[in-house]
Amino acid sequence: MHSKLEQLLSKFIYIKTLQEDAVNKSSTLYGYIPLNGEKEVSKDNRAILHINNQILSAIDIQEYFNIRNTKDNDCYHWGEGSLKTKDDASPYKFNLIYPASDKHLSKYDYKNRNFQVIETPELYRNVVKPYIDYNIQEGSIQWVHNIIQGKTEQESIRFDEPDFLVLPDMKWTDETDLKNMYLLLLFKNYQFTSIRELCTKEHLTMLKNVKKFVENEILTRYGNTSIDKVKLYFHYQPSYYQLHLHIVHADNELNYKSMLLGKDCHFLDTVINNMEMMIDYYQKCNMVYYLTDTSELYKRLKEAM
Amino acid sequence: MHSKLEQLLSKFIYIKTLQEDAVNKSSTLYGYIPLNGEKEVSKDNRAILHINNQILSAIDIQEYFNIRNTKDNDCYHWGEGSLKTKDDASPYKFNLIYPASDKHLSKYDYKNRNFQVIETPELYRNVVKPYIDYNIQEGSIQWVHNIIQGKTEQESIRFDEPDFLVLPDMKWTDETDLKNMYLLLLFKNYQFTSIRELCTKEHLTMLKNVKKFVENEILTRYGNTSIDKVKLYFHYQPSYYQLHLHIVHADNELNYKSMLLGKDCHFLDTVINNMEMMIDYYQKCNMVYYLTDTSELYKRLKEAM
């Protein structure tokens, strides 16, 4: 599955456009790749193709060529190449998710179907935590474990510390473009599935050390950026259940979608402050967020509520 | 100042475009209106013109005509009309801020210049609260007081309760379009300048009653919308210092800019939950937000830090 990206792309059959983004100039396409000549889309052959630097009607794509496979990790594939449309041939970067899971797809299915969840500590214990455990057992964060275990994406790691790794987010393709800085700080301890699991003085100390490290080491390396020029935050619910801190330039406008209210960001400084006031704040508080009713987690919560 | 909107517009001299929004299909233009033949822009003649339903290069505007003045409140003027460009003549809605203050302008000056503020309770007491008091004394929320005192916009009021008023946000122009619901719930007590001032059991009870009212009265009137289909939140820092709750449909995509992380939203349910855990949470916590370095508040904070 890790090879033949050119072959995968050449067999990509377009179904519909999931997202067209005029700000990012990018398109996200849904389709399938019938490697074994299947006639229909199935759980095993679904694919999500994200193309940077292009807004195009996917139907116009006639050919991909000169494809260079830059990175693979589990179901994620990155590359560069050219593509030919009716009118034009131009270079692009892309990533392909193949095979794409229900969770991958529901991420794009956010239109018209957002519902509020007030997650009490009881709902967390009885519904969300079991869902997370199931999710991890099913291998949904195998790709994260691969990075932490040194198996993949090692060339992307910018800092490797005892507690965490730092690497550029997939959306930040040009690391000299500081204004669009987007780094991820990935905690190594599998126990930290989300901020819900942060509850001891040791955890608080770890967070404070992370903040110092961001200021003194990471931002120093990236153009001596000042700490008040970045946004440091966690998502809840996160996209994947291994704790990671977003490090985003305060003037970054490209990646605004991940900063939308629906995604429910929690600033590192707020998390630290809440834990200083009440060390088990994140075990006692209600978490408020929005889910699409097509997501597996929402279905489970709805049953329990 | 309340008259002759047509005259105001006919004398509007364009300086630059503050914002073009492809999603909202709207433009925000900066210029000045030299009513007394002034040759230059000044604090007294600056204007911000927001035009709905049009994306256009402002330079192309050749004529405004058939202007109907639908509403005035202090420096805010609303209207409808037609406008002629080189290629076209078409209907539009607009609002004009004239004269426009520094605070009005700095709201649009958010590019490239966002800085984090960690507002401790001390900084609130020593810098932010005095700034708010000054701001209110200068008349920046006279237009809000006008509404609360029954002087203006009375035709927009949908609910008038002892503690609060409910009216549609200026961005929600079609109240039958439920998916884009955007209401404001405006508290009447001048003591509530922001969520920082919520600190007693009576305040908590008031917030819980507001939530019930939203569910049982407001949403019932708007198509029986379910409570889990809306986002109820406060901003901090808010745009103006009279406490107001945003009531926005969860699937609303038009108004996403006000939901960006930089604006620092605080869900009503989170506020209630925090006060349940610690009644004076909002007097004890640090508030994390981002300001442009051109804003008066940022300058004062910077001096104090």
Side-chain angles (χ1 to χ4, degrees), chain A residues 110 112-116 179 228-231 250-251 259 261 265 267 269 273-274 281 286 290, chain B residues 112-116 179 228-231 250-251 253 259 261 264-265 269 273-274 281 286 290:
Chain A
Y110 60 89
N112 310 323
R113 303 192 147 275
N114 297 294
F115 290 83
Q116 189 195 43
K179 206 199 134 204
D228 62 356
K229 287 298 298 174
V230 291
K231 295 182 176 176
D251 298 327
M259 293 179 231
L261 181 64
C265 295
F267 288 126
D269 290 298
N273 184 235
N274 281 335
Y281 179 93
N286 294 344
Y290 289 76
Chain B
N112 309 323
R113 302 191 147 276
N114 298 294
F115 289 83
Q116 188 195 44
K179 206 198 134 202
D228 62 355
K229 285 301 296 177
V230 292
K231 293 182 178 178
D251 298 328
E253 292 186 327
M259 293 179 230
L261 180 64
D264 308 316
C265 296
D269 290 298
N273 184 234
N274 281 335
Y281 178 93
N286 295 344
Y290 287 77

Side-chain angles (χ1 to χ4, degrees), chain A residues 46 48 100-108 131 135 140-141 237-241 295-297:
Chain A
R46 292 180 303 192
I48 296 172
S101 70
D102 288 339
K103 190 156 194 288
H104 289 127
L105 282 165
S106 74
K107 190 174 162 182
Y108 292 96
Y131 166 75
N135 200 268
S140 78
I141 59 165
Q237 293 282 329
S239 304
Y240 51 91
Y241 294 108
S295 73
E296 172 68 17
L297 177 56

Side-chain angles (χ1 to χ4, degrees), chain B residues 44-61:
Chain B
D44 298 325
N45 66 18
R46 292 179 304 191
I48 296 171
L49 177 62
H50 181 81
I51 305 178
N52 278 321
N53 306 324
Q54 291 290 335
I55 285 285
L56 41 83
S57 168
I59 285 165
D60 295 339
I61 300 176

Side-chain angles (χ1 to χ4, degrees), chain B residues 113-297:
Chain B
R113 302 191 147 276
N114 298 294
F115 289 83
Q116 188 195 44
V117 174
I118 301 178
E119 183 192 290
T120 60
E122 293 68 40
L123 273 176
Y124 178 69
R125 257 197 312 279
N126 298 332
V127 182
V128 179
K129 182 113 179 42
Y131 166 75
I132 293 172
D133 293 343
Y134 161 83
N135 200 268
I136 292 172
Q137 267 168 26
E138 289 285 290
S140 79
I141 59 165
Q142 187 53 52
W143 66 276
V144 181
H145 292 172
N146 289 346
I147 297 172
I148 293 172
Q149 291 163 14
K151 292 180 186 165
T152 53
E153 298 193 46
Q154 298 307 292
E155 73 289 355
S156 299
I157 293 171
R158 301 290 172 261
F159 297 90
D160 187 346
E161 294 295 306
D163 284 344
F164 55 82
L165 298 169
V166 178
L167 55 175
D169 185 274
M170 171 166 101
K171 290 185 282 293
W172 193 31
T173 49
D174 175 6
E175 282 175 70
T176 63
D177 179 14
L178 293 178
K179 206 198 134 202
N180 287 313
M181 183 193 298
Y182 201 138
L183 293 159
L184 293 173
L185 189 147
L186 185 61
F187 291 84
K188 288 181 178 177
N189 188 335
Y190 293 166
Q191 176 196 341
F192 302 135
T193 49
S194 77
I195 51 174
R196 269 284 194 209
E197 298 295 330
L198 300 169
C199 53
T200 70
K201 283 186 184 168
E202 290 69 36
H203 299 165
L204 177 57
T205 304
M206 178 186 72
L207 293 179
K208 288 180 176 177
N209 287 337
V210 160
K211 175 145 190 207
K212 277 185 214 141
F213 190 87
V214 171
E215 180 162 17
N216 298 331
E217 304 294 331
I218 303 177
L219 295 183
T220 305
R221 168 155 171 184
Y222 288 98
N224 271 314
T225 303
S226 153
I227 189 76
D228 62 355
K229 285 301 296 177
V230 292
K231 293 182 178 178
L232 307 175
Y233 58 90
F234 303 100
H235 283 146
Y236 195 86
Q237 291 286 327
S239 304
Y240 51 92
Y241 294 107
Q242 177 67 30
L243 188 66
H244 53 286
L245 179 74
H246 299 253
I247 305 173
V248 183
H249 196 282
D251 298 328
N252 189 324
E253 292 186 327
L254 291 184
N255 304 299
Y256 60 86
K257 266 184 193 156
S258 85
M259 293 179 230
L260 283 178
L261 180 64
K263 285 287 277 185
D264 308 316
C265 296
H266 299 264
F267 288 125
L268 174 62
D269 290 298
T270 302
V271 174
I272 288 174
N273 184 234
N274 281 335
M275 290 179 71
E276 280 176 338
M277 291 195 292
M278 197 189 295
I279 193 71
D280 55 354
Y281 178 93
Y282 288 97
Q283 304 226 310
K284 282 192 175 159
C285 74
N286 295 344
M287 299 293 273
V288 179
Y289 52 87
Y290 287 77
L291 291 177
T292 61
D293 61 356
T294 52
S295 73
E296 173 67 16
L297 178 56

